[in-house]
Amino acid sequence: MKTVYDILIVGGGPGGIGTAVEAAVHGIENILLIDKADNHSSTIRKFYKANKKVDKDWKGQTINIEGNIPFMDGTKETTLNFFDRLLDEEKIDTAFNEEVENIVKNEKENIFLVTTATKSFKAKAVVITIGKMGKPNKPSYKIPPSIKEFVNFNLDDCSHGEKILVVGGGNSAAEYAYELADEGNTVTLVYRKAEFSRLNPANEDILYQYNGQEKLRLRLNTDIISLENEHGKVKVNFDDGYYTIYDRVIYAIGGTAPVDFLKKVGIKLDEKGKPIYDEHYRTNIPGMYVAGDIAFNTGGSIAAALNHGYHIVNSYLRRSGKLYSYTQKVDEFFKNHPQFKE
């Protein structure tokens, strides 16, 4: 919290790496790259087999690299090694195993507060490049197909006057619970632990206040064993031997879907759920940008994502009045990275 980053990047894929490295090449010093996985490029690590080819011109797209990252065709291993060297040699700050839960802008200070389950960061600008692969975590037990329409992983399709069970112990679960209670629903929040450990103070205060006022019920130290269809409603069987019938169950147990996350942080979306941005990749929130597949139909092109980072950094420098001739900086980059000239 003591450091105010110039640029904070949410997402450690090619778009995030491209933004971080371009920022460093342009002379920006305080840069932070955050990703919920345990390392960058999680999609490549997870879905690419060993020695699988990684093409610059993905699916026949011919895209010229516009920035300062000379990405070329390679394999899974050489691509990951290439990105490792970029991040290490440019000394980019990283925070892995940190899933961003919310981003709020302090308009008075013109600073963003970025919060994860355990930490908070401040930044002058934020770039969201989380890709389209994100999806909510689901329970290990089976959800019967006949009641799937009454099981949610966000607030979509919720109505008023329902009896709802919210599952989870994080800030998203807390916010779902008290917002639904405010809308006239009968809400129970169930959490498997005896006390909350990941809530920010404001959300925790609201939960216990609402619980005391009987606006919602907290059911702590309780886990769910299974779900059943009970005459068209959701029967929830708990590990304490009891069960309860609900109109709807909402899971908030991590892995927020990208569209839900964009809505939460206040980015305006079009009718297809795509973020709205201008020619400089700026959203409706000044200082907040989008890059990569979350915003653009790149088809997974690494080259296109790297270009997004280049243009975002230039836009940031223009806005902040820091754009200058960086020929010397680029020359120094290639002097220190002779292998990239090839």
Side-chain angles (χ1 to χ4, degrees), residues 11-20 41 43-44 69 83 129 300-303 305-307 309:
I17 294 171
T19 304
S41 309
T43 298
I44 295 176
I69 301 176
F83 288 152
T129 171
S301 168
I302 292 176
L306 295 176
N307 284 345

Side-chain angles (χ1 to χ4, degrees), residues 190-207:
V190 63
Y191 185 41
R192 58 187 176 84
K193 296 183 179 181
E195 58 184 27
F196 297 107
S197 59
R198 299 187 289 122
L199 293 183
N200 64 50
N203 280 339
E204 189 165 5
D205 287 346
I206 293 173
L207 278 187

Side-chain angles (χ1 to χ4, degrees), residues 168-170 189-198 208 218-224 239:
L189 175 65
V190 63
Y191 185 41
R192 58 187 176 84
K193 296 183 179 181
E195 58 184 27
F196 297 107
S197 59
R198 299 187 289 122
Y208 281 111
L218 298 181
R219 190 166 184 171
L220 304 179
N221 202 28
T222 305
D223 210 350
I224 297 173
D239 62 358

Side-chain angles (χ1 to χ4, degrees), residues 145-158:
S146 60
I147 57 172
K148 280 189 175 180
E149 65 177 299
F150 306 116
V151 176
N152 293 40
F153 296 90
N154 53 37
L155 296 184
D156 292 349
D157 301 323
C158 293

Side-chain angles (χ1 to χ4, degrees), residues 247-264:
D247 296 313
R248 189 175 304 278
V249 175
I250 301 175
Y251 289 93
I253 52 179
T256 305
V259 170
D260 297 325
F261 178 74
L262 295 177
K263 288 179 180 178
K264 184 175 183 179

Side-chain angles (χ1 to χ4, degrees), residues 46-152:
K46 183 176 181 180
F47 296 104
Y48 280 55
K49 296 180 180 179
N51 297 313
K52 178 178 173 61
K53 187 178 180 182
V54 180
D55 295 322
K56 169 185 168 292
D57 295 327
W58 176 247
K59 293 184 178 179
Q61 301 180 79
T62 301
I63 298 176
N64 296 321
I65 299 292
E66 300 175 67
N68 301 289
I69 301 176
F71 180 76
M72 297 174 288
D73 292 347
T75 64
K76 171 183 179 178
E77 290 76 15
T78 62
T79 299
L80 292 175
N81 185 51
F82 175 72
F83 288 152
D84 280 337
R85 293 204 309 270
L86 287 175
L87 293 173
D88 289 345
E89 293 176 9
E90 291 303 330
K91 299 179 175 61
I92 306 297
D93 286 347
T94 57
F96 295 124
N97 290 311
E98 294 286 350
E99 183 172 4
V100 174
E101 293 189 343
N102 205 1
I103 304 172
V104 178
K105 187 172 185 181
N106 184 321
E107 296 292 348
K108 184 176 181 180
E109 297 181 5
N110 200 29
I111 295 292
F112 290 96
L113 179 64
V114 181
T115 55
T116 69
T118 60
K119 298 178 182 178
S120 296
F121 306 93
K122 289 183 177 180
K124 298 176 184 177
V126 174
V127 181
I128 299 176
T129 171
I130 53 178
K132 295 190 293 188
M133 298 299 292
K135 57 183 179 181
N137 293 334
K138 295 184 178 182
S140 57
Y141 44 84
K142 183 180 178 181
I143 299 175
S146 60
I147 57 172
K148 280 189 175 180
E149 65 177 299
F150 306 116
V151 176
N152 293 40

